[in-house]
Amino acid sequence: MVLTAVTLTASAQYKSQVWSPDNGDGTYTNPVINADYSDPDVCVGASGDDYYMTASSFQCAPGLPILHSKDLVNWEIINYALTSLYEGDAELEQHFSTPQHGAGVWAPSIRYHNGWYYIYWGDPDYGVYMVRTQDPAAKWEKPVCVIRGKGYIDTTPLWDDDGRCYLVNGWANSRSKFASVLTVREMSADGTRPIGQPVIVFDGNGTANRTCEGPKFYKRDGWYWILCPAGGVPEGFQLAMRSKSPYGPYEHKIVLQQGKTNINGPHQGGWVHTKYGEDWFLHFQDKEAYGRVVHLNPVDWSTGWPIMGKKGTPVTTYKKPITNNQYPITNPVESDEFNSPVLGKQWSWHANYDEKFGVPTAFGTFRIYTYKLSDGWKNFWEVPNLLLQKTPADEFMATAKLRFTSKADGQMGGIIMMGHNYQALVVRREGKEFKLVILTCQDADRGKAAQEEVIATLKPTAEDKIDYKPGIHEDIYLRLKVTNAEAGVAHGGKPKVSFAWSQNGKKFTDCGGQYQMKEGKWIGAKFGFIAVETNPKVDRGWVDADWIRIEPLTQR
């Protein structure tokens, strides 16, 4: 399809075919986002009827996704606060131009204060950063380094009633060589620099509250509150702490834990008090290969403590929050027809974007150029131009229509499910032919080489009359399926990935075996497109992605 008109306005509401939490009867079913929005935080917007969420994005770019909702149940991706890591700092922009798995943006917090929206986060290698804007859907200012140094993570500001500003943070043992403590310090009133020394206000070492991290800072009825997870990521719980001073000492209580539910480790998120007098807590559940998905639980303050869910255990289905209107069902976009001159907001690269990674076309496709692999490469862990999105459900099917054009041997392109383990279905140039190949890699992060299985031999459609190098110009349809016999169990069960292909988009042939999906470094497995090559001297080839459609397994 050729683009005949262009609009950059927000798209119409998108309803997922594979996971939508709104039951249409005034109730919702958790998770409200069944995708890897790790370490979510939320704030109420200026109007009181808008909610904005952000989440960890680590090394991926663009970073710091901005999601918007009118009812805390139906969410859409509207923006990113970071175009790149870290825009305006040439040295760090270059550093993050290659994949820095698990580094970058950790556990952000989002706040609205005096007409501005702020996001703070800790980069464990470089320090505490902040970005701000007056419109979350518009351009955010370039990041400011608030505190430089190693080990700072999980930062949240609190502007007090008298205008003073405080910052709470956790510590990354991998960098600081200590953890499970929370510190508070005073900041300048504009939140741009520290003016006080840190004070340890909570210590979980040697107790059941080990791995206390991810603190969020609030004030309510004269009490300073720190909400934080403890007890470990997969099986931990949510703590609430209160004190009459920002510097403590804090008394604490468990306010949310798994109990007899199948929702493991319910913790780390953000509390909101709505203009309608209700209180809610958005938090994650670690589902391993799927990443950390987002749940919504009610909060009851009647005891003086924020008891979450149903008497301290998470709810599965519950009545929706009160709003001033009935809003349409809408979910984060997954499918993409690639008919826009800008990349869809569901996509991110595995490193800072370079225009040689890929660009939209005027022909209703997105072009991804082959990335030149390093000498002695072992697998795709090094590839920055992986164009990927989060898995949207426990089970689903993704079908892509694409066209691969090659200029030299060794160039390949197709679809991939990427994590510590990965599997890809690619078309690869070999002489004057093309091979359809499945590449499977265990422990990609440890430098293990991929194993391959040749599925079919494809002939080039025609000779390129300009430079006489063959290219495959016919369309091919590649599909991946995620199945899970244990869907719904704690930790997400054991999802499997399998592939199929077609030359006409109607009759698909299954290929390869099932592969165990596995998460990446601090992120869930992600799927999308890959285009790479092994020869540093030849012209790049490319994949033209016409569309990708996310459907239930029972759709076809």
Side-chain angles (χ1 to χ4, degrees):
M1 181 181 295
V2 178
L3 295 178
T4 56
V6 170
T7 177
L8 299 183
T9 57
S11 60
Q13 284 84 16
Y14 175 91
K15 183 177 179 181
S16 172
Q17 297 183 49
V18 294
W19 185 260
S20 186
D22 193 324
N23 298 319
D25 60 1
T27 68
Y28 69 92
T29 297
N30 274 316
V32 290
I33 306 178
N34 201 5
D36 182 34
Y37 288 92
S38 177
D39 315 315
D41 193 36
V42 62
C43 75
V44 183
S47 70
D49 287 312
D50 295 282
Y51 304 98
Y52 296 98
M53 183 197 304
T54 190
S56 297
S57 52
F58 300 101
Q59 87 279 0
C60 300
L64 286 172
I66 306 298
L67 293 93
H68 171 256
S69 177
K70 287 285 192 177
D71 60 9
L72 295 171
V73 171
N74 293 281
W75 292 91
E76 61 178 335
I77 315 167
I78 63 167
N79 201 5
Y80 286 84
L82 284 180
T83 303
S84 64
L85 286 75
Y86 286 99
E87 186 178 0
D89 186 323
E91 182 178 346
L92 288 186
E93 284 194 273
Q94 178 61 33
H95 174 72
F96 285 102
S97 67
T98 56
Q100 306 296 323
H101 296 271
V105 178
W106 285 28
S109 59
I110 184 169
R111 292 292 179 268
Y112 177 72
H113 173 66
N114 282 351
W116 289 86
Y117 294 87
Y118 294 82
I119 296 177
Y120 283 74
W121 72 96
D123 181 311
D125 296 304
Y126 296 104
V128 178
Y129 284 82
M130 179 268 285
V131 289
R132 68 174 194 165
T133 185
Q134 291 185 303
D135 179 0
K139 175 72 175 176
W140 290 66
E141 294 183 354
K142 292 181 181 179
V144 173
C145 186
V146 174
I147 304 172
R148 191 169 298 279
K150 282 184 178 288
Y152 301 106
I153 57 171
D154 307 353
T155 54
T156 305
L158 170 67
W159 279 274
D160 210 340
D161 305 328
D162 59 5
R164 296 170 75 175
C165 182
Y166 302 93
L167 189 78
V168 66
N169 70 276
W171 295 85
N173 189 72
S174 56
R175 275 71 164 184
S176 56
K177 300 306 177 185
F178 65 86
S180 292
V181 295
L182 306 179
T183 55
V184 170
R185 76 192 72 203
E186 186 170 1
M187 305 290 289
S188 57
D190 62 2
T192 61
R193 58 186 174 85
I195 60 174
Q197 294 299 311
V199 175
I200 294 176
V201 298
F202 190 78
D203 186 354
N205 285 283
T207 74
N209 299 318
R210 68 191 185 282
T211 322
C212 59
E213 56 186 6
K216 298 297 187 291
F217 216 172
Y218 308 95
K219 193 174 185 184
R220 182 183 188 274
D221 294 340
W223 290 93
Y224 295 89
W225 290 89
I226 296 176
L227 305 183
C228 84
V233 174
E235 284 127 358
F237 45 84
Q238 182 69 26
L239 289 177
M241 311 175 191
R242 70 180 184 184
S243 174
K244 287 294 186 178
S245 164
Y247 298 112
Y250 284 83
E251 56 179 325
H252 64 276
K253 184 186 292 288
I254 294 176
V255 293
L256 184 67
Q257 57 188 329
Q258 179 173 351
K260 295 181 179 180
T261 73
N262 65 355
I263 302 170
N264 61 291
H267 56 45
Q268 189 157 341
W271 160 56
V272 290
H273 177 73
T274 76
K275 67 186 288 186
Y276 305 100
E278 292 187 320
D279 295 277
W280 298 87
F281 185 65
L282 278 157
H283 64 90
F284 77 67
Q285 174 198 11
D286 189 322
K287 290 176 62 176
E288 295 182 344
Y290 299 112
R292 299 171 182 179
V293 305
V294 183
H295 287 242
L296 177 67
N297 271 281
V299 179
D300 178 7
W301 284 92
S302 62
T303 64
W305 290 85
I307 306 302
M308 300 169 178
K310 185 178 181 180
K311 298 181 179 180
T313 59
V315 300
T316 299
T317 298
Y318 200 77
K319 64 180 180 180
K320 291 172 59 179
I322 296 172
T323 59
N324 66 350
N325 205 340
Q326 185 172 347
Y327 295 102
I329 293 176
T330 185
N331 310 122
V333 173
E334 308 141 354
S335 298
D336 200 335
E337 298 297 313
F338 297 113
N339 288 335
S340 170
V342 293
L343 186 61
K345 293 181 175 61
Q346 66 268 49
W347 300 105
S348 64
W349 304 95
H350 242 33
N352 277 346
Y353 173 65
D354 184 305
E355 290 178 1
K356 293 185 292 296
F357 289 176
V359 292
T361 76
F363 321 119
T365 62
F366 191 90
R367 177 164 295 180
I368 306 152
Y369 287 105
T370 49
Y371 171 77
K372 294 180 180 295
L373 294 162
S374 65
D375 291 339
W377 70 282
K378 296 291 185 182
N379 59 56
F380 297 152
W381 195 250
E382 69 175 66
V383 177
N385 75 326
L386 295 175
L387 183 61
L388 306 177
Q389 63 169 293
K390 308 169 191 297
T391 58
D394 289 5
E395 295 189 307
F396 66 95
M397 179 169 67
T399 307
K401 179 184 178 183
L402 55 86
R403 185 174 299 168
F404 178 58
T405 300
S406 174
K407 296 292 185 178
D409 276 2
Q411 293 179 337
M412 66 189 93
I415 60 174
I416 187 170
M417 178 67 80
M418 184 69 188
H420 285 303
N421 302 341
Y422 70 75
Q423 196 168 52
L425 179 60
V426 301
V427 177
R428 185 176 65 199
R429 165 83 178 275
E430 293 186 8
K432 291 186 176 295
E433 294 180 333
F434 293 85
K435 302 291 186 181
L436 186 64
V437 182
I438 286 183
L439 299 167
T440 304
C441 185
Q442 305 289 328
D443 300 321
D445 57 317
R446 299 181 182 179
K448 299 294 181 65
Q451 304 299 310
E452 67 176 62
E453 178 184 356
V454 176
I455 302 301
T457 298
L458 307 171
K459 300 293 184 180
T461 306
E463 295 290 328
D464 186 323
K465 300 305 181 183
I466 298 175
D467 57 13
Y468 304 99
K469 295 175 183 177
I472 185 166
H473 294 295
E474 65 183 16
D475 295 323
I476 190 167
Y477 301 80
L478 305 181
R479 171 179 289 173
L480 66 81
K481 293 178 282 189
V482 174
T483 58
N484 190 346
E486 299 177 298
V489 304
H491 297 214
K494 299 295 182 183
K496 304 280 189 178
V497 178
S498 59
F499 288 87
W501 70 287
S502 172
Q503 289 183 306
N504 60 15
K506 297 177 182 178
K507 183 179 179 181
F508 281 80
T509 301
D510 292 334
C511 55
Q514 285 193 324
Y515 131 86
Q516 179 69 58
M517 197 168 88
K518 191 173 182 181
E519 66 274 9
K521 182 67 171 178
W522 304 130
I523 62 176
K526 299 176 76 172
F527 70 98
F529 298 96
I530 182 165
V532 294
E533 65 184 6
T534 56
N535 190 329
K537 297 181 180 180
V538 299
D539 296 340
R540 297 178 192 270
W542 60 84
V543 167
D544 281 331
D546 192 341
W547 48 255
I548 185 168
R549 294 168 185 164
I550 314 305
E551 301 167 311
L553 290 174
T554 56
Q555 188 73 22
R556 296 181 183 178

